[in-house]
Amino acid sequence: MVILRHILLSVLLWTMAAATASQPVRTAIFDPTIKTLQVEVAGVQSDPAVMIMDSDDRLTISFDQLADDRRYMRCSLTHCDPLWRPDNLTPVEYTSLNEDYIEDYALSGPTMVRYVNYRFSLPTQRLTLPISGNYLLRVYDESDPDSTLLQVAFCVLDPKLRVAPSVTSRTDIDYNDAHQQLSVALYPGDVRIADPPSELAVVVSQNGRPDTEVVLTTPMLITSDCITYSGNRGLIFPAGNEYRRMETVSVNYPSMHVEGVDFIDPFYHATLYTDEPRNTDHYLYDRTQHGRFRIREYNSDDSDTEADYLLTHFTLDLPYQPEADIYIDGYFTNHRFDPEWRMIYNPASGRYELTALLKQGAYNYQYLLVPKGSERGLTSPIEGDLYQTVNEYFIRVYYRPTGSRYYQLIGAGSVTSGL
């Protein structure tokens, strides 16, 4: 039975999570046996994770490998530009010894799906972070160092200027309708920025989604003590809708938005209630976590190793969309449009369906429509765009003075809409 379980699991995973032809930057998983990647700073899950330079902040990553025994893994760092493209610095300029071992692991408890939970924290004696900016942490098998298993995008912040963002639903293209518009004011203080358009890059994202990011280089107004970005079409975002929620905290009874839980050897199955498009509904506030998830088994003292994996069945009652793909989006998908998270249309039921192997917990999710050839997901066709929606906007300010070889991260701030 154990052998059969592993064979079925292997086939299922390679079918669901076929690797993409390229390996784009940002937080991502490239090995289909690795699941449930979590990134936290001081116990707070965020994307991107931001550490304060020369502070007590520690970045912790954890993940599972579906296996019976541990794998010997190592990790290394790469310093990057504002969009996490590797820059021209050599490792000796941004860390000590650019390799470390992932040695903190624990085997899963009496679960139907066997896995090994790994945990690793930065900085270490070997992986120091002496300069600010963007970093990629790459994890690989020590027997195959050229093959990346997963990578984590994070930031080190040297707070030299103050970021003061604001958000409104009274935008330059509509008024209390379908969009939200930001303004960003920077107060450099003692930082001497000679030429803001060429030395600064301001990156703004919505709910941690890389596909929504915009990069601002031209301020609207520059004074002796303030640099302002406003009246910019790039700062107008579709408002979206509150995230949907579901929970699989128990295998004994259905939890939130779960129609039924069944054991079909060798897996537990969680069938969710069929989701409907909300693009014609009125706004309804729901206090969500803006796409985040938490691993939890309701009767466990350590959910990291005692929560099981369930085949979770999503269904969306939506007509076939020949010119677009439908994806599930949330932090648990790493906000990526990978084959693993693409809904498949079932002509027999007239609905989109997806089965994903998810660890027990509480999940936020939404459905995004991605037109063929596009790299940006649209909320309006399925979720709707409602100006009242509570969204998190995160702003990062990068500084590369003339003659410098890398971008420093000197400011960061956030603002929440609809509150």
Side-chain angles (χ1 to χ4, degrees), residues 70-75 99-103 139-147 149:
R70 72 167 294 189
R71 188 173 187 172
Y72 292 90
M73 302 183 194
R74 300 184 185 184
C75 57
E99 186 177 65
D100 211 339
Y101 304 91
I102 299 178
E103 298 179 317
V139 176
Y140 50 92
D141 192 305
E142 66 176 31
S143 66
D144 187 10
D146 294 328
S147 181
L149 301 176

Side-chain angles (χ1 to χ4, degrees), residues 210-223:
D211 64 310
T212 68
E213 278 193 350
V214 296
V215 181
L216 309 174
T217 57
T218 305
M220 170 66 74
L221 180 65
I222 302 174
T223 67

Side-chain angles (χ1 to χ4, degrees), residues 111-140:
T111 55
M112 298 308 300
V113 175
R114 300 286 294 166
Y115 59 88
V116 183
N117 178 256
Y118 296 86
R119 185 170 294 269
F120 183 81
S121 295
L122 287 173
T124 69
Q125 290 184 340
R126 299 172 65 92
L127 295 178
T128 56
L129 302 165
I131 65 174
S132 69
N134 285 359
Y135 289 82
L136 277 177
L137 175 73
R138 187 174 75 93
V139 176
Y140 50 92

Side-chain angles (χ1 to χ4, degrees), residues 125-409:
Q125 290 184 340
R126 299 172 65 92
L127 295 178
T128 56
L129 302 165
I131 65 174
S132 69
N134 285 359
Y135 289 82
L136 277 177
L137 175 73
R138 187 174 75 93
V139 176
Y140 50 92
D141 192 305
E142 66 176 31
S143 66
D144 187 10
D146 294 328
S147 181
T148 303
L149 301 176
L150 64 92
Q151 63 189 21
V152 173
F154 69 96
C155 307
V156 175
L157 170 66
D158 184 7
K160 294 180 177 180
L161 58 72
R162 183 166 67 90
V163 181
S166 60
V167 60
T168 180
S169 57
R170 302 171 183 179
T171 76
D172 291 345
I173 60 177
D174 56 23
Y175 186 95
N176 287 348
D177 188 5
H179 294 83
Q180 296 170 351
Q181 183 165 347
L182 273 70
S183 295
V184 180
L186 308 180
Y187 296 91
D190 295 331
V191 181
R192 296 185 177 275
I193 303 173
D195 185 9
S198 64
E199 295 181 342
L200 291 180
V202 179
V203 181
V204 183
S205 65
Q206 182 193 62
N207 297 327
R209 287 174 50 192
D211 64 310
T212 68
E213 278 193 350
V214 296
V215 181
L216 309 174
T217 57
T218 305
M220 170 66 74
L221 180 65
I222 302 174
T223 67
S224 59
D225 62 351
C226 184
I227 303 169
T228 303
Y229 299 81
S230 63
N232 189 316
R233 291 295 291 266
L235 288 174
I236 302 176
F237 292 80
N241 204 339
E242 304 297 342
Y243 279 79
R244 303 171 190 256
R245 294 193 292 165
M246 69 89 173
E247 294 185 358
T248 54
V249 298
S250 173
V251 297
N252 298 317
Y253 60 86
S255 304
M256 179 185 296
H257 198 56
V258 176
E259 184 175 12
V261 178
D262 301 288
F263 179 72
I264 304 175
D265 194 24
F267 304 109
Y268 282 105
H269 292 247
T271 301
L272 306 187
Y273 284 102
T274 298
D275 287 316
E276 304 284 344
R278 302 185 293 172
N279 58 329
T280 60
D281 294 349
H282 295 293
Y283 175 76
L284 180 63
Y285 174 72
D286 187 12
R287 185 176 181 180
T288 71
Q289 296 300 312
H290 311 291
R292 294 180 175 86
F293 69 99
R294 291 296 179 197
I295 298 305
R296 187 167 73 90
E297 203 284 330
Y298 84 106
N299 199 32
S300 171
D301 294 326
D302 183 7
S303 293
D304 285 339
T305 57
E306 296 178 6
D308 214 329
Y309 276 85
L310 283 68
L311 285 175
T312 307
H313 303 275
F314 295 83
T315 305
L316 175 64
D317 190 1
L318 182 74
Y320 180 57
Q321 307 291 312
E323 302 300 324
D325 291 318
I326 310 299
Y327 288 88
I328 292 182
D329 170 70
Y331 278 73
F332 68 98
T333 74
N334 297 308
H335 298 295
R336 288 168 55 84
F337 302 140
D338 283 344
E340 181 179 7
W341 308 114
R342 182 168 64 88
M343 306 285 290
I344 303 300
Y345 183 73
N346 183 346
S349 66
R351 296 170 175 174
Y352 280 87
E353 300 171 353
L354 173 71
T355 297
L357 192 65
L358 296 179
K359 200 172 184 178
Q360 286 181 273
Y363 290 81
N364 284 189
Y365 67 100
Q366 65 179 350
Y367 295 103
L368 296 178
L369 183 144
V370 182
K372 299 290 187 182
S374 175
E375 296 181 354
R376 180 160 184 159
L378 305 178
T379 48
S380 58
I382 303 172
E383 304 295 354
D385 285 324
L386 304 169
Y387 75 91
Q388 304 98 321
T389 302
V390 180
N391 290 303
E392 288 183 345
Y393 295 94
F394 190 72
I395 299 94
R396 310 189 306 272
V397 181
Y398 298 89
Y399 176 48
R400 185 175 180 175
T402 302
S404 175
R405 297 176 54 239
Y406 73 96
Y407 282 93
Q408 308 170 41
L409 179 60

